[in-house]
Amino acid sequence: MANVTFSAPTLEKDVTVYAVAGDNKTLLGVAKQHAIAIPCQCQDGECGSCLVKVTILDDKSPSGIHLTEKEKLTLSVNGKLTRDQLANAETNDMPPPYRLACQYIVRNEDILVEFSGEPGVE
Ligand code: FES
């Protein structure tokens, strides 16, 4: 069980939902399930429109670290993933701040998800 809090200027107020970690749902899937409109176009990690900022709120070691190859490429091309951040994710298990909601699998940890409501803008 994870608490996922969505925060955006397009929402009246922050919304916290419970996500079942074992469901292997993407962040975009969890948002859709709760009628939270994160901009998205391709839903396949290629367009970058579902860019979000993810902050882990738990004190324990982060879990949602894995980036798909598409996520790495799209974030890098859009200037949202530096080489250092990628290396940190791959070697030190330190998740980068910006993610693609359609690629991020929700794990058993509490997170804050911030987005602007505009495609590709966190
Ligand atoms: Fe296109 Fe997520 S919707 S990258």
Side-chain angles (χ1 to χ4, degrees):
M1 202 74 135
N3 286 327
V4 180
T5 300
F6 294 96
S7 179
T10 51
L11 298 172
E12 244 174 61
K13 58 179 182 168
D14 291 358
V15 178
T16 299
V17 302
Y18 302 101
V20 179
D23 276 0
N24 275 341
K25 271 212 169 107
T26 65
L27 204 42
L28 188 61
V30 172
K32 283 186 172 189
Q33 185 182 9
H34 295 278
I36 293 164
I38 295 178
C40 60
Q41 291 167 10
C42 73
Q43 301 187 42
D44 194 28
E46 294 181 346
C47 72
S49 64
C50 65
L51 182 71
V52 294
K53 183 177 182 194
V54 176
T55 305
I56 296 166
L57 302 176
D58 283 342
D59 288 338
K60 59 187 181 188
S61 300
S63 315
I65 301 157
H66 177 74
L67 290 96
T68 65
E69 291 305 315
K70 284 182 179 177
E71 187 176 21
K72 289 178 199 171
L73 181 63
T74 301
L75 288 173
S76 297
V77 166
N78 290 308
K80 296 297 180 186
L81 180 67
T82 65
R83 279 179 191 216
D84 284 352
Q85 288 170 331
L86 179 57
N88 239 349
E90 292 183 333
T91 59
N92 301 326
D93 290 342
M94 289 296 298
Y98 297 109
R99 304 298 297 264
L100 297 177
C102 72
Q103 299 294 293
Y104 184 104
I105 302 291
V106 176
R107 302 294 183 197
N108 188 20
E109 63 189 352
D110 295 347
I111 56 174
L112 170 66
V113 180
E114 298 170 279
F115 61 101
S116 70
E118 290 181 44
V121 181
E122 81 282 351

